[in-house]
Amino acid sequence: MKTVYTDALVIGGGLAGLRVALACKARGHEAIVLSLVPAKRSHSSAAQGGMQASLGNSVKGQGDGEDLHFQDTVKGSDWGCDQAVARMFTHVAPKAVREAANLGVPWSRVKAGPRKTVVNAEPVILQEPMAAHGLIQARDFGGTAKWRTCYTSDGTGHSVLYALDNQAIGAGIEIHERVEALRLIHDGERCHGAIVRDLISGELIAYLARTTTMATGGWGRLWAVSTNAVICEGTGAALALDAGVALGNPEAVQFHPTAIVPVGILTTEGCRGDGGILRDVDGHRFMPDYEPEKKELASRDVVSRRMTEHMRKGKGVPSQYGDHLWLDITILGREHIEKNLREVKEICENFLGIDPAEEWIPVRPTQHYSMGGVRTDPNGESDGLKGLFAVGEAACWDMHGFNRLGGNSLAETVVAGMIVGDKVADACECYAMGESTLARQHAAVVQAEIDALLSGDDGASVVALRQRMETLMMEKVGIFRNGAALAEAVEELTLLAQQSQRLKLSTSKRHANPELVDALRLRKMLKVALCIATAARERTESRGAHAREDFPERNDRDWLKRTLVRWPESQAALQVEYESLDVMAMEMPPGSRGYGKDLVIAHPHTAARLAEIAAWDQANPDATPKQRQQALLPAVFASLLPEHLRGDNVRREGQVPVPLKAEAAKLAGLISPNQNDETIEAEAAEVAGEQV
């Protein structure tokens, strides 16, 4: 068997994987990236809208900073995220965007003077300051207090991916394309690499390494309709499960509000961020009826639920593909669409045969993102195997909790790649090279599975089982969930998983055999699907994107905890356990997200933590925002964040970020709770004892 050695093995050729490889190479370690497809065709290229980073350059970003970005991220997560990770992320995001500019990403830039835009469906003229001319521009996105989503028209993922892939080529990083990892090489305590199959020749290859990083993306293709690429099947998560590593929060699955009907291709949140609106069968703009403050720019989980509720009321547009709603961007004008939403225009022309500058776009919520993934610590290392890391959508790092803000995922790929990549490089200096004896043992297991599949003369159809799985996930593990449907899903998925152990293939070719590939993946996909459905059944509350119709409250008292699902191959069934979130260690204790009726069962420690923070603020009136942050959440800068990333972010002269103590004051009822109140910055300054 062919054996390949490297210091850092990265499984996945998207942005997160490439950035980890670059971090390792910069430290003098050899890195190899494995990719199912050519790296420039990774799913990262599908990200349209932008990357969130609190640069505060534009007039609508004034007052933005790490504090507000942190606040929005925690609120967006419905208090399910790891706040230390969210802090690291929001601190490094501006550095990541500026680094990307240095690597050649052509960010859209501020042009000083008046510019036309649309806000709340009304044309307005914004006056951009001369001091911001030429700096990186930002657009509005859902669930944010400021305009902070940096973009390159609506092809941001494409631009950033090409820049990083070119950097990897220039650095001499080997990218092995059209190969698939089928099994992690491990001894139960440490990961030594992976057994990989060449998708063209069928050859099995052992990749041995000091560190292995999972950057395999999400699991959207478990559902019948998804915005995800066809390669996003969750098989990387299954490899970790087999090796004994936990999946964190697998039930946290986001549905994007505006995928086109029927194919499910994404139209970016930038459509609504730039001023587009949602309409029903009567042409009525309905979101202000549900969310009068944020309207179409509420968090994604909220908008998706409101759209579904509205269609349930009979306000959907009937079609042969089921009801849908309309996304209207005609109000933005042709010039804006052709410049800033050109991918959306091309998608509409090619897949719908319409001109979105003239016609409304048929949309409905569709599976989009996995907040859960391979559970890691804040360094990105797995909780079950030393030397195994996970990054990007493949990981439950966990900065998204139970709902991700738009623009935070693309930013996370690069930011986590920077932070975790540095930790992977550290580990390369500590761990020995993988063991070849172990590789042979694990390769034998993979070979036996392939042999059995190719020699079997009786069994179920791969296609039929997969289609039924996708239908079950769509119908019973969707936007709205209930105990009865979830129980049915678990029962039938269990049966499908059993049936998948005996599959009948129509060809016995060992080389380029798509049917064999599908069979090998199906078993892994069913395993992950069962983890998702079971975790959703067990979590009897509604939090973020996990909406239980039979348990509508967010229950902090009983459910402020992270789900961990384990299913090593030695066990016949999965095991669900939980990891409590410590309210007394939170910089931002649980509160209301500000959407709809406040259905929260409070945690018994929330009031005590709020009082503790208020007392600290009162005792330290002259503390800077950074001093406050380090006092309330000390681990971030003391030990977690790599030292070279700890420096302060620079903003243009005159920009004073709103301090987070304003949010603490709002939670305590000391200042206005209205996020859009024009006086918030002055109020925040007064509470902080500072001047804006």
Side-chain angles (χ1 to χ4, degrees):
M1 182 179 60
K2 180 180 176 181
T3 303
V4 178
Y5 295 89
T6 186
D7 295 322
L9 177 65
V10 180
I11 304 175
L15 280 172
L18 289 173
R19 191 59 186 81
V20 168
L22 285 166
C24 293
K25 189 69 174 181
R27 293 270 296 274
H29 305 297
E30 291 303 315
I32 292 178
V33 176
L34 307 181
S35 183
L36 291 171
V37 295
K40 284 187 170 72
R41 295 293 178 265
S42 296
H43 187 51
S44 297
S45 65
Q48 297 171 358
M51 285 175 60
Q52 282 209 36
S54 57
L55 302 181
N57 293 331
S58 67
V59 65
K60 296 293 282 186
Q62 289 181 5
D64 201 9
E66 298 92 330
D67 278 356
L68 284 183
H69 192 184
F70 171 76
Q71 167 193 307
D72 290 341
T73 298
V74 174
K75 277 190 171 183
S77 79
D78 219 354
W79 276 271
C81 71
D82 183 326
Q83 294 193 14
V85 170
R87 259 298 175 190
M88 289 196 291
F89 165 74
T90 57
H91 180 79
V92 176
K95 297 174 172 60
V97 168
R98 288 174 172 137
E99 178 190 76
N102 290 334
L103 298 181
V105 175
W107 296 112
S108 296
R109 300 279 175 163
V110 176
K111 183 178 180 181
R115 69 179 178 99
K116 297 178 181 178
T117 189
V118 175
V119 177
N120 192 25
E122 296 293 336
V124 299
I125 296 178
L126 299 179
Q127 186 74 26
E128 296 288 2
M130 182 58 68
H133 185 76
L135 301 180
I136 297 171
Q137 181 61 285
R139 58 170 33 129
D140 201 6
F141 253 41
T144 63
K146 299 289 182 180
W147 292 23
R148 76 167 65 92
T149 305
C150 309
Y151 61 98
T152 62
S153 295
D154 61 344
T156 314
H158 178 102
S159 298
V160 181
L161 180 64
Y162 271 57
L164 259 65
D165 186 60
N166 289 341
Q167 289 293 316
I169 293 170
I173 294 171
E174 292 186 36
I175 301 176
H176 296 183
E177 299 168 348
R178 297 185 176 89
V179 295
E180 181 170 14
L182 295 181
R183 186 178 180 87
L184 295 179
I185 302 168
H186 67 93
D187 57 11
E189 295 183 359
R190 199 200 122 198
C191 185
H192 292 249
I195 301 299
V196 176
R197 182 172 179 268
D198 187 310
L199 292 173
I200 298 173
S201 69
E203 178 186 16
L204 292 184
I205 307 167
Y207 283 79
L208 292 171
R210 302 178 189 277
T211 64
T212 304
T213 301
M214 305 298 295
T216 51
W219 44 57
R221 286 293 159 176
L222 300 180
W223 282 260
V225 183
S226 172
T227 66
N228 286 193
V230 294
I231 58 174
C232 298
E233 298 173 316
T235 53
L239 297 185
L241 272 175
D242 284 344
V245 175
L247 296 188
N249 292 341
E251 70 270 37
V253 179
Q254 183 177 86
F255 284 69
H256 195 288
T258 56
I260 66 171
V261 177
V263 293
I265 297 173
L266 179 69
T267 59
T268 174
E269 192 162 317
C271 291
R272 288 171 287 128
D274 290 1
I277 59 176
L278 293 167
R279 299 185 185 274
D280 63 16
V281 65
D282 302 317
H284 171 62
R285 182 191 181 192
F286 60 89
M287 276 304 298
D289 301 339
Y290 295 97
E291 300 296 339
E293 182 184 334
K294 297 296 285 185
K295 307 175 182 65
E296 284 84 1
L297 290 175
S299 274
R300 284 180 179 174
D301 62 317
V302 176
V303 178
S304 291
R305 284 196 293 274
R306 296 309 193 195
M307 291 173 69
T308 303
E309 289 169 8
H310 203 61
M311 287 188 284
R312 284 179 170 182
K313 293 176 181 178
K315 291 298 183 179
V317 182
S319 81
Q320 61 180 312
Y321 307 109
D323 287 358
H324 65 77
L325 295 163
W326 299 113
L327 172 62
D328 177 10
I329 62 172
T330 62
I331 57 179
L332 305 182
R334 181 173 298 280
E335 181 181 356
H336 180 95
I337 292 170
E338 293 183 348
K339 178 181 179 182
N340 292 311
L341 297 170
R342 57 194 180 196
E343 280 195 12
V344 170
K345 183 174 184 293
E346 291 174 0
I347 288 168
C348 290
E349 290 172 342
N350 294 332
F351 291 90
L352 297 173
I354 67 172
D355 179 355
E358 302 289 340
E359 302 173 71
W360 298 344
I361 307 168
V363 297
R364 66 170 166 238
T366 299
Q367 194 286 338
H368 179 62
Y369 190 86
S370 313
M371 277 75 72
V374 178
R375 179 66 184 133
T376 75
D377 63 18
N379 293 327
E381 192 163 19
S382 80
D383 74 333
L385 287 179
K386 293 296 182 184
L388 178 66
F389 293 78
V391 68
E393 191 176 355
C396 179
W397 189 27
D398 165 28
M399 64 159 283
H400 300 304
F402 275 76
N403 177 65
R404 172 181 68 77
L405 295 183
N408 264 4
S409 63
L410 190 60
E412 185 201 16
T413 61
V414 183
V415 172
M418 295 167 70
I419 297 172
V420 175
D422 200 69
K423 303 299 184 179
V424 173
D426 289 343
C428 285
E429 296 166 5
C430 299
Y431 296 132
M433 184 59 68
E435 292 289 339
S436 58
T437 303
L438 279 172
R440 288 190 291 273
Q441 295 171 3
H442 286 275
V445 176
V446 175
Q447 189 64 63
E449 182 180 11
I450 292 173
D451 291 344
L453 282 169
L454 294 177
S455 62
D457 56 4
D458 186 36
S461 161
V462 175
V463 173
L465 292 187
R466 175 160 177 167
Q467 288 178 341
R468 184 54 190 158
M469 174 197 69
E470 292 173 351
T471 300
L472 277 171
M473 295 300 285
M474 206 75 193
E475 293 178 350
K476 301 183 185 296
V477 197
I479 295 175
F480 285 102
R481 302 165 175 181
N482 64 74
L486 290 169
E488 291 169 2
V490 170
E491 182 179 2
E492 191 166 349
L493 287 168
T494 301
L495 178 61
L496 294 177
Q498 293 169 353
Q499 293 174 343
S500 73
Q501 298 308 305
R502 288 182 58 82
L503 298 171
K504 179 175 175 55
L505 307 188
S506 60
T507 177
S508 59
K509 291 181 180 179
R510 291 188 176 272
H511 52 285
N513 184 346
E515 191 179 23
L516 173 61
V517 171
D518 288 345
L520 290 167
R521 292 177 183 173
L522 175 65
R523 292 169 174 172
K524 295 179 174 65
M525 295 171 74
L526 282 164
K527 192 168 187 175
V528 175
L530 262 169
C531 290
I532 295 167
T534 303
R537 182 193 65 186
E538 296 302 303
R539 183 173 284 271
T540 53
E541 67 154 357
S542 292
R543 185 179 299 274
H546 174 68
R548 287 285 297 260
E549 293 178 290
D550 45 351
F551 294 97
E553 299 89 358
R554 190 189 85 199
N555 187 347
D556 290 345
R557 181 192 63 205
D558 301 319
W559 283 104
L560 193 60
K561 49 192 176 184
R562 185 174 294 110
T563 305
L564 299 177
V565 181
R566 298 183 191 276
W567 197 352
E569 60 183 351
S570 59
Q571 288 183 193
L574 61 85
Q575 177 184 349
V576 181
E577 54 195 56
Y578 297 96
E579 161 183 19
S580 295
L581 304 183
D582 185 0
V583 173
M584 297 306 290
M586 289 184 179
E587 182 181 355
M588 186 173 164
S592 170
R593 293 177 72 195
Y595 299 120
K597 188 177 179 181
D598 189 7
L599 298 174
V600 177
I601 300 174
H603 191 281
H605 296 163
T606 297
R609 180 57 173 167
L610 282 170
E612 191 174 75
I613 292 172
W616 192 96
D617 286 339
Q618 187 174 11
N620 300 274
D622 299 323
T624 66
K626 190 169 184 178
Q627 288 171 335
R628 181 180 189 272
Q629 186 277 310
Q630 289 177 313
L632 298 179
L633 199 62
V636 174
F637 288 92
S639 59
L640 295 178
L641 196 61
E643 190 170 355
H644 67 96
L645 296 175
R646 296 179 187 176
D648 292 343
N649 290 305
V650 177
R651 294 178 176 85
R652 65 181 175 84
E653 187 176 353
Q655 286 303 291
V656 180
V658 175
L660 186 57
K661 64 176 66 178
E663 176 63 21
K666 281 193 295 179
L667 290 173
L670 300 178
I671 62 175
S672 168
N674 188 350
Q675 284 284 3
N676 287 340
D677 190 338
E678 293 180 357
T679 65
I680 185 172
E681 290 169 26
E683 290 177 328
E686 184 176 346
V687 171
E690 300 170 354
Q691 290 188 355
V692 174

